[in-house]
Amino acid sequence: WIVDPLDSTTSMKFAAGEQYCSVLVGLQIDGKTHVGVTYFPITDEWFYAVRGLGAYKNGSAINTNPNLQALSEVVVDMNHQPADRETPFFSKLWQELRTTGHGAFRVTSHFPHSGIAMRIAEGAPWVAAAIHDNHSVKVKQAAWDTVAPALILEEAGGVYWNDRGQPYDPWEPTPILAACNEMIAKQILALV
């Protein structure tokens, strides 16, 4: 069992909003995640998935938004490290995603929280992808931040990849790309 009893402590500290804080619980067996649960205690929202059985929010099946196909028409949320620990991957995407002609429609940056993957999983029209910077010197997103959200997003039809376009390994700190589908994820990776 891998548990994060309070994800997004920064947003809690600064009272940034009730949509941020969550409790994350994942079950891994032989290195593979089989159960993922994300609970937002302030809004009383439950997101959960069991490998191969889909993703759910408060008892109803959820899926990523199938209408999000072109990077130029979507919002990407980027969550960065302090400048001295920013990875070249993240720096490049920060510039390229904000470039007219081949970038995203909008690039936002909210308080760091793993729950953004739940908004992508439930098909929110306002966000198609989230990029979390992660540096081996100071890990920002550890296994307890990623195991549950990754499974839920994948079971909803999205992807949770590393900076090389491979499934994210929660035990290897690399930048994270969470997206509503492979098409958006590949368009983002093509920028680097």
Side-chain angles (χ1 to χ4, degrees):
W1 291 98
I2 302 165
V3 179
D4 185 350
L6 180 60
D7 184 64
S8 193
T9 52
T10 303
S11 66
M12 180 72 124
K13 177 180 177 180
F14 291 102
E18 57 188 29
Q19 74 276 20
Y20 291 112
C21 301
S22 63
V23 177
L24 308 173
V25 179
L27 172 64
Q28 276 199 337
I29 301 171
D30 296 327
K32 186 171 250 182
T33 307
H34 290 272
V35 176
V37 177
T38 299
Y39 175 59
F40 293 86
I42 299 173
T43 59
D44 198 29
E45 296 172 282
W46 288 91
F47 291 82
Y48 45 92
V50 175
R51 181 166 297 285
L53 298 178
Y56 297 85
K57 176 184 177 185
N58 295 338
S60 298
I62 57 172
N63 292 290
T64 58
N65 189 333
N67 300 319
L68 304 177
Q69 300 293 316
L71 182 58
S72 61
E73 298 174 358
V74 302
V75 174
V76 176
D77 190 68
M78 297 191 73
N79 196 268
H80 51 84
Q81 294 268 29
D84 65 333
R85 289 189 298 268
E86 193 170 274
T87 64
F89 172 83
F90 189 90
S91 298
K92 177 79 169 164
L93 279 180
W94 180 254
Q95 293 303 315
E96 295 297 323
L97 284 168
R98 296 168 52 228
T99 301
T100 304
H102 67 268
F105 175 72
R106 281 278 183 269
V107 176
T108 61
S109 185
H110 291 92
F111 275 91
H113 69 295
S114 298
I116 189 79
M118 299 309 91
R119 302 308 169 201
I120 298 168
E122 71 178 331
W126 54 270
V127 64
I131 300 163
H132 290 282
D133 204 6
N134 224 2
H135 196 288
S136 58
V137 173
K138 175 81 167 98
V139 177
K140 183 177 177 188
Q141 298 289 315
W144 50 84
D145 297 305
T146 61
V147 167
L151 179 65
I152 296 166
L153 180 57
E154 290 165 357
E155 287 291 321
V159 297
Y160 205 91
W161 288 351
N162 63 21
D163 56 343
R164 298 176 306 277
Q166 302 163 338
Y168 186 77
D169 179 349
W171 308 105
E172 178 188 344
T174 60
I176 299 166
L177 169 57
C180 61
N181 57 51
E182 282 191 26
M183 184 178 293
I184 293 293
K186 287 178 178 177
Q187 290 174 58
I188 291 170
L189 289 175
L191 297 176
V192 293

